Amino acid sequence: MARSASTSTPARASGTFDLAPGLTVHRLGFGAMRITGDGVWGPPADPEAARAVLRRTLDLGIDFIDTADAYGPDVSETLIAETLHPYPEGLVIATKGGLTRQGPSQWAPVGRPTYLRQCVEMSLRRLRVETIDLWQLHRIDGQVPAADQFGEIARFVDEGKVRSVGLSEVGVAEIEAAQDAGLTVATVQNRYSLGHREHEDVVDHCDAQGIGFIPWYPLDAGKLSDSDVLTEAADRLGASHAQIALAWLLRRSATMLPIPGTSRVAHLEENTAAAEIDLPDDLFEALDAATRETA
């Protein structure tokens, strides 16, 4: 049984995080990958339902929406602008570039500086903004010198096209390399959840440095899905397993910024209600111990 929100804007209960000076968001956001077609390819089966989800995010107090030019491709960014522009004050839309699409569920990195510049320019156009609040390199392209990619991204900031910068699917060494190249890394977006914890060192590094950590696929409980410890936590707190997974992430680090995605309003409301769950020490520690063993 899922827990319902006790306030009209439950996302605000997740606390806040400063992406950059003057750029503050509530920690529980929304990932806009699922408002596209199967395989993150093409338009959604029900475009109006996708628009309803986007509109409902604002009602729930969500002010951080994460998307990418590769979602669709172009579909997610276009839907966001069509639905929410002109954007309300305080809404932060983060996007990503550097992955190309060859078909459903197919992704290939391209990090040539000229291509990254095209990504930024087209995202600016589709999102109808003059500056992207948070632009993330979707993947570092191993076929292009990393310094060339980081250098071009630094120029986006200098030119006012991008306000803050993030990296995706990187280790500590790559974060430090980007910083050594002159980038201020505001966020890191890696796969991380109760069931997928291989990036513990990155989470700890981000926590220590005040870098926002955006876990993608945050609802994955892995082998823990049917475990006694997760069921006990859900039963005690009157929540669903997914809500416990999100509550655990929010408790894991003050720099954690979960972005659960969905194409259904009811699921969005359930996910956002997780921000109001106060996970007690014993349950947090039991989940932590169990998932370190099974992940």
Side-chain angles (χ1 to χ4, degrees):
M1 179 176 170
R3 178 170 177 163
S4 299
S6 62
T7 67
S8 60
T9 54
R12 296 178 181 176
S14 63
T16 60
F17 180 79
D18 295 332
L19 293 168
L23 193 64
T24 301
V25 296
H26 290 98
R27 291 173 56 213
L28 186 64
F30 174 72
M33 184 177 74
R34 295 184 181 275
I35 59 169
T36 61
D38 290 342
V40 200
W41 186 257
D46 187 343
E48 187 48 45
R51 293 187 182 95
V53 168
L54 289 168
R55 289 190 291 266
R56 186 65 176 140
T57 62
L58 305 185
D59 297 338
L60 295 170
I62 292 171
D63 55 12
F64 180 55
I65 296 177
D66 178 84
T67 185
D69 63 359
Y71 296 166
D74 307 341
V75 171
S76 179
E77 288 183 331
T78 299
L79 270 173
I80 289 169
E82 288 177 349
T83 307
L84 300 180
H85 191 275
Y87 304 118
E89 184 177 357
L91 177 63
V92 171
I93 299 173
T95 193
K96 297 180 284 292
L99 276 184
T100 60
R101 303 299 305 279
Q102 294 71 43
S105 302
Q106 298 178 46
W107 314 76
V110 174
R112 296 190 304 274
T114 52
Y115 180 70
L116 297 182
R117 181 165 292 274
Q118 176 181 310
C119 291
V120 168
E121 294 289 358
M122 296 304 293
S123 288
L124 285 166
R125 181 187 299 182
R126 281 188 294 270
L127 290 171
R128 306 180 195 176
V129 295
E130 295 183 358
T131 301
I132 296 169
D133 283 330
L134 173 64
W135 188 87
Q136 304 153 90
L137 182 60
H138 214 153
R139 293 293 186 277
I140 296 175
D141 183 353
Q143 304 303 310
V144 177
D148 292 353
Q149 298 171 68
F150 299 150
E152 188 70 1
I153 296 168
R155 283 186 279 276
F156 301 153
V157 177
D158 291 342
E159 295 165 8
K161 298 180 186 296
V162 167
R163 185 170 180 184
S164 57
V165 171
L167 303 173
S168 182
E169 283 304 303
V170 293
V172 172
E174 292 163 312
I175 298 169
E176 293 176 337
Q179 292 170 325
D180 289 343
L183 286 181
T184 298
V185 179
T187 61
V188 169
Q189 184 167 162
N190 286 6
R191 183 176 179 182
Y192 185 80
S193 64
L194 271 174
H196 194 97
R197 297 184 60 183
E198 70 174 82
H199 291 299
E200 289 297 320
D201 61 331
V202 180
V203 174
D204 290 339
H205 181 78
C206 289
D207 189 65
Q209 290 212 353
I211 296 171
F213 186 91
I214 306 172
W216 62 269
Y217 201 8
L219 298 179
D220 178 21
K223 297 176 182 178
L224 203 69
S225 295
D226 299 320
S227 73
D228 290 342
V229 64
L230 186 56
T231 298
E232 177 191 351
D235 289 348
R236 272 180 57 181
L237 299 176
S240 68
H241 286 193
Q243 289 175 324
I244 295 298
L246 288 172
W248 181 86
L249 285 171
L250 288 168
R251 175 74 189 274
R252 170 66 177 85
S253 167
T255 66
M256 190 77 68
L257 308 172
I259 48 166
T262 181
S263 60
R264 296 187 295 113
V265 168
H267 195 198
L268 171 69
E269 292 171 346
E270 176 184 331
N271 289 340
T272 311
E276 297 183 319
I277 294 175
D278 184 11
L279 195 64
D281 291 346
D282 64 320
L283 290 181
F284 173 80
E285 292 165 3
L287 288 164
D288 183 69
T291 54
R292 283 183 185 270
E293 295 170 0
T294 62

